[in-house]
Amino acid sequence: AGFPDDRAQVRYFGDKETARRVLREQKERSAESAFMEWIIFNYKPRRRERTIAEQLLTTGLPPAERMLLEAQISASPSLFKCVEVRAGESVLMEDILEGGTVRVHDIRLSECPVEGTSFPARIYKAGRFHFISLLGPPLPTIAVPEAIEWIESLGLEPTPEGIRRKAHLLGRLWPWLEEWESSFSRQQFVNFDGDPLSFQTASWAVSDEKSVRRMLAEMADIHYDEEDDHFEWLTESTQASMPGGGPVSAGSLTFVGNELVLQVNSEERLERARSMLGNIPGLTYIGSSRLEAKGGRIPSLLPDDATGPENESETEALDPELIATLAGQMREYYMKWLDEPIPTLDGRTPRQACRSKKGRQKVALMIRTCPDPGGIPGVTVPRKEMLRELGLE
């Protein structure tokens, strides 16, 4: 009740029952305002009729109102990811489909925990300021690749022009998101040993680094990376789903000051590592800390990794030198990923996939929606460098 007609609800949400439920249950996510935005700027009851916004332009609007309306009509719709929040002032948005960033002056949005969230929306300029109008539901960035794949299956091309032509399909993301969240919350995510994911950092005091380095180099499962001066622990995967078969990286070992620091992604691997390293003279176990994912922000491109539901961070304070080491390893891992065969790219590397227009679009989307590791301040995915390396910036 109160909306132009039932056909508008069916076209946007898919059916009347879904429309009523979403409008009733998704008020806090602005379902009604997104629906009304679509009605005003996109909905035509009949093919040759004008939208409400186009009709308003034929009336005697005050200059300021006309300027705002024209700015909204001409703005290109896209998917925008919030990459920075200035509380009580503005948010910085990145265009996931086209690239580039723009600062949006929206006080209400800036007071919400929206960093890392993606929005189907229009961003339009009025004077010196930019404003945002939603066209669909706020999406966890981790869900964006699946969401785009799904609306593509409905016939929406993921480009600004494609969205403009079939903007009503963005409304179908409301029920899709409900199903995605329900499924996501039931999943348990594991590494390629079948262990539940739990990111662990452990350290050992080193009394004779030269001797310890020599013994690590002699171990069959340990590989030394001379260029980056760290040791990689390799193991055979027990999971049949491992792309291309093993071996996989079970963890990394780095000398930091007078300590040897281990990173693994399960408690089981930590115990195996403690047993393995316990026979090396000159090492004294200090302890470990767990780095849980927060808000689904787990490095989802790593070959021996997966993503999972939100958990509370239990991160202990990390030494600045260790953070710098972790940041360097993160950069190395992702830059190597550009030349690794990826199953979702039909076995091609991201660099190879970029030889076609559609491949470039898919790779750019994968990079822009890759979340940073949660709970490790200062350690981020080098998205800009990755895009620049592939000519996608």
Side-chain angles (χ1 to χ4, degrees):
F3 293 113
D5 55 39
D6 289 343
R7 286 179 298 174
Q9 296 184 42
V10 171
R11 185 159 177 77
Y12 183 76
F13 292 104
D15 60 74
K16 288 192 289 185
E17 182 179 346
T18 298
R20 286 195 292 269
R21 187 187 74 253
V22 171
L23 291 171
R24 181 177 64 252
E25 298 176 0
Q26 301 290 348
K27 289 183 179 180
E28 291 185 0
R29 288 179 168 174
S30 303
E32 185 173 320
S33 61
F35 177 45
M36 292 305 297
E37 176 75 15
W38 171 77
I39 285 178
I40 293 170
F41 291 94
N42 296 92
Y43 179 58
K44 297 180 179 180
R46 294 174 182 80
R47 184 180 297 273
R48 296 186 179 181
E49 289 188 11
R50 289 177 293 190
T51 64
I52 294 175
E54 290 169 340
Q55 292 175 41
L56 286 172
L57 283 180
T58 65
T59 64
L61 291 174
E65 291 183 23
R66 173 175 290 276
M67 179 191 71
L68 285 172
L69 193 60
E70 289 177 340
Q72 287 177 275
I73 291 174
S74 61
S76 295
S78 191
L79 277 167
F80 298 93
K81 180 177 72 173
C82 178
V83 295
E84 179 189 288
V85 174
R86 291 182 182 174
E89 179 191 323
S90 63
V91 293
L92 184 65
M93 292 289 189
E94 178 183 18
D95 190 328
I96 292 177
L97 301 181
E98 296 289 289
T101 58
V102 61
R103 184 162 296 282
V104 174
H105 301 85
D106 190 306
I107 294 176
R108 186 182 67 169
L109 197 61
S110 72
E111 293 176 341
C112 301
V114 294
E115 190 168 339
T117 303
S118 295
F119 301 85
R122 287 188 186 88
I123 291 180
Y124 59 97
K125 186 177 182 180
R128 297 183 296 110
F129 300 98
H130 289 87
F131 302 96
I132 187 169
S133 296
L134 297 188
L135 291 171
L139 298 166
T141 297
I142 194 174
V144 169
E146 290 181 59
I148 289 181
E149 184 177 352
W150 186 74
I151 57 178
E152 276 189 289
S153 72
L154 300 182
L156 187 149
E157 180 186 353
T159 64
E161 278 308 309
I163 295 175
R164 190 187 293 273
R165 286 193 299 268
K166 296 187 177 181
H168 65 282
L169 293 177
L170 295 176
R172 313 296 172 87
L173 286 173
W174 290 100
W176 178 89
L177 182 60
E178 291 176 332
E179 293 184 14
W180 184 89
E181 289 177 331
S182 176
S183 173
F184 192 69
S185 66
R186 295 193 301 269
Q187 294 182 51
Q188 180 184 33
F189 294 91
V190 299
N191 62 21
F192 283 114
D193 288 338
D195 306 329
L197 284 183
S198 177
F199 295 91
Q200 307 279 333
T201 296
S203 58
W204 285 256
V206 180
S207 60
D208 186 346
E209 181 175 329
K210 185 176 180 179
S211 174
V212 172
R213 281 180 175 271
R214 184 178 65 251
M215 295 194 70
L216 287 175
E218 292 173 353
M219 298 177 71
D221 295 338
I222 302 295
H223 169 73
Y224 178 58
D225 187 325
E226 185 174 356
E227 181 179 351
D228 294 292
D229 189 27
H230 80 275
F231 293 86
E232 200 73 20
W233 173 27
L234 302 178
T235 184
E236 292 293 326
S237 169
T238 61
Q239 298 292 296
S241 60
M242 173 63 190
V248 299
S249 172
S252 65
L253 292 153
T254 307
F255 286 91
V256 181
N258 295 320
E259 295 182 11
L260 178 64
V261 177
L262 167 76
Q263 286 182 279
V264 291
N265 62 11
S266 73
E267 294 181 4
E268 290 78 5
R269 284 184 177 176
L270 174 59
E271 291 307 311
R272 287 167 58 193
R274 288 189 63 182
S275 176
M276 177 177 65
L277 298 175
N279 298 321
I280 298 180
L283 287 181
T284 303
Y285 183 66
I286 298 174
S288 66
S289 61
R290 186 167 73 234
L291 305 175
E292 294 289 3
K294 188 173 183 179
R297 295 164 63 84
I298 305 177
S300 59
L301 297 183
L302 299 187
D304 190 19
D305 198 84
T307 50
E310 178 173 346
N311 293 294
E312 289 300 319
S313 173
E314 298 181 18
T315 308
E316 296 180 6
L318 298 180
D319 182 85
E321 187 176 356
L322 174 57
I323 291 178
T325 300
L326 296 177
Q329 292 180 356
M330 178 71 73
R331 177 193 173 279
E332 176 196 4
Y333 224 132
Y334 279 93
M335 296 308 291
K336 285 183 177 179
W337 176 85
L338 301 180
D339 294 294
E340 294 285 338
I342 307 298
T344 55
L345 296 175
D346 299 324
R348 295 171 296 170
T349 69
R351 197 181 302 276
Q352 291 169 339
C354 285
R355 293 171 185 169
S356 70
K357 180 179 178 180
K358 191 164 184 66
R360 290 169 64 84
Q361 183 185 60
K362 190 166 187 177
V363 171
L365 178 67
M366 292 174 71
I367 294 173
R368 291 187 183 120
T369 56
C370 179
D372 293 322
I376 316 179
V379 181
T380 60
V381 177
R383 298 184 196 85
K384 289 184 179 180
E385 187 176 357
M386 294 166 75
L387 292 168
R388 187 165 54 246
E389 173 68 19
L390 297 177
L392 300 174
E393 191 176 32

